[in-house]
Amino acid sequence: MSLIALGLTARYVTEPPVLQRRGVDVVGVSLVGVALLTLVHGIAEAENGITRIEAWLPLVISAIAGVLFVFHERRTSEPVLELSLFRSGAFTVAALSSLTLNFSVAGFSFVLGQFGSVILALPPRTIGLLFLPGTLLIAGAVILAGRLIAKYTPRPVLITGLLLLVASGLLMAATAEPTMALWILVLATWIINLGSLVTSASVAETILSHAPPGKSGAVASVQPAFGMTGYALGPAVYLLLLNIFFQRQWLNDADERGMSATQAEQAVDATRSAMARSPGTAGYDPNLLRESGLDLGLDFTNGLRLTMLVTSLLPLALAVAAYVLMPRRSRTAPQDPPE
């Protein structure tokens, strides 16, 4: 709903009062909403099997809505999104970076809550406090990033921010353990927060630099719109990958122990059911682990490591794209028309 609201309001954020008020592209906004909602729903249902109609039908509807949105926006006189802006490689990289940083932060926060509570047996308060250390340092880094953007252009700052997102994911992929030190979680959380804010500063500068006179509000709305899209997709995709990799791990674990897939699935379901009946006891109970015959704590951790490794490829790819496509010199700011 936030994405729809952004589309409805973006046209009038900074339009000069002397210009004629523009209409709202209701069809375009509706198609975006349908595409996003069905995409998230389809990804969530895919956890139970992509061949189920509950999974593939929403994904098909999302794809159709996306195609119709592009066709509609190319033909309407008042588009909710100026598709011509994406002819610029720098603008496209910036918009996708806005999606990616929110995708990474939202997904990381979700799996951190899962891993912290289920495996490390951390209380919710402790998991929340992981985001506090280094807040002032991050604020200072963002101010410094703004100055570096003015001096060196957004390109190196954007690349640095994206590589920080990669570093956080790789740190978790390399160090996650069922009994890992708390300071590593703090460091990984701090790095991803730092990377997201540094990236966001560069994204804002790049997107606004492409705004023609009188349309800065409409162009600026691209950043939060893509950001909300990433924030909606992050938890769904991370959870899907985590479940896929976790299942792969406990199936391999069962095979090594001579257990059938059916026996292993029954053991996992029994452990999950016992945990659901005893919500006050965080983490996998060692007694349940012994009874299941599987090392579910390690299996879950390995699933998390693979998830963080795979999701780190997205900001890495965008960092390479930024290096190739973004200009090395400052883009000339658009000049206001003469009075």
Side-chain angles (χ1 to χ4, degrees), residues 206-228:
T206 303
I207 288 178
L208 280 175
S209 70
H210 287 75
K215 295 186 178 180
S216 58
V219 175
S221 67
V222 172
Q223 180 179 3
F226 272 72
M228 286 301 301

Side-chain angles (χ1 to χ4, degrees), residues 119 178 246 249-250 253-254 256-257 259 268 284 288-290 292-302:
I119 302 301
F246 176 43
Q249 290 298 313
W250 60 255
D253 189 4
E256 293 176 358
R257 298 171 188 268
M259 297 175 61
V268 173
Y284 279 110
L288 290 174
L289 295 180
R290 284 192 290 268
S292 71
L294 299 172
D295 194 346
L296 295 182
L298 181 60
D299 295 337
F300 190 96
T301 302
N302 288 336

Side-chain angles (χ1 to χ4, degrees), residues 189-252:
T189 305
W190 182 81
I191 292 175
I192 196 171
N193 287 338
L194 175 63
S196 67
L197 291 174
V198 169
T199 303
S200 181
S202 306
V203 166
E205 174 67 21
T206 303
I207 288 178
L208 280 175
S209 70
H210 287 75
K215 295 186 178 180
S216 58
V219 175
S221 67
V222 172
Q223 180 179 3
F226 272 72
M228 286 301 301
T229 302
Y231 200 80
L233 291 175
V237 174
Y238 271 70
L239 181 59
L240 174 63
L241 292 175
L242 181 59
N243 283 338
I244 290 175
F245 290 133
F246 176 43
Q247 183 183 46
R248 187 71 265 162
Q249 290 298 313
W250 60 255
L251 283 174
N252 291 339

Side-chain angles (χ1 to χ4, degrees), residues 54-256:
E54 293 87 350
W56 63 260
L57 182 59
L59 295 177
V60 171
I61 294 174
S62 177
I64 294 174
V67 172
L68 291 177
F69 172 76
V70 173
F71 283 139
H72 171 76
E73 294 299 284
R74 294 179 63 180
R75 287 165 173 76
T76 183
S77 59
E78 300 291 345
V80 70
L81 179 63
E82 296 285 352
L83 297 180
S84 60
L85 292 170
F86 292 92
R87 295 172 184 170
S88 166
F91 184 90
T92 302
V93 169
L96 292 178
S97 295
S98 180
L99 186 151
T100 298
L101 72 91
N102 285 276
F103 172 87
S104 299
V105 170
F108 176 84
S109 300
F110 185 84
V111 297
L112 178 63
Q114 293 280 307
F115 179 66
S117 61
V118 173
I119 302 301
L120 301 181
L122 297 175
R125 178 180 298 180
T126 300
I127 297 174
L129 291 175
L130 294 175
F131 291 85
L132 290 182
T135 301
L136 291 178
L137 291 176
I138 291 177
V142 173
I143 295 174
L144 176 61
R147 295 181 178 179
L148 293 176
I149 288 172
K151 186 175 181 180
Y152 297 109
T153 78
R155 178 174 176 268
V157 179
L158 179 62
I159 294 173
T160 300
L162 291 169
L163 290 180
L164 286 171
L165 298 180
V166 176
S168 176
L170 294 182
L171 177 62
M172 286 295 294
T175 62
E177 296 289 347
T179 57
M180 68 186 300
L182 189 61
W183 70 266
I184 299 179
L185 286 180
V186 172
L187 180 60
T189 305
W190 182 81
I191 292 175
I192 196 171
N193 287 338
L194 175 63
S196 67
L197 291 174
V198 169
T199 303
S200 181
S202 306
V203 166
E205 174 67 21
T206 303
I207 288 178
L208 280 175
S209 70
H210 287 75
K215 295 186 178 180
S216 58
V219 175
S221 67
V222 172
Q223 180 179 3
F226 272 72
M228 286 301 301
T229 302
Y231 200 80
L233 291 175
V237 174
Y238 271 70
L239 181 59
L240 174 63
L241 292 175
L242 181 59
N243 283 338
I244 290 175
F245 290 133
F246 176 43
Q247 183 183 46
R248 187 71 265 162
Q249 290 298 313
W250 60 255
L251 283 174
N252 291 339
D253 189 4
D255 184 64
E256 293 176 358

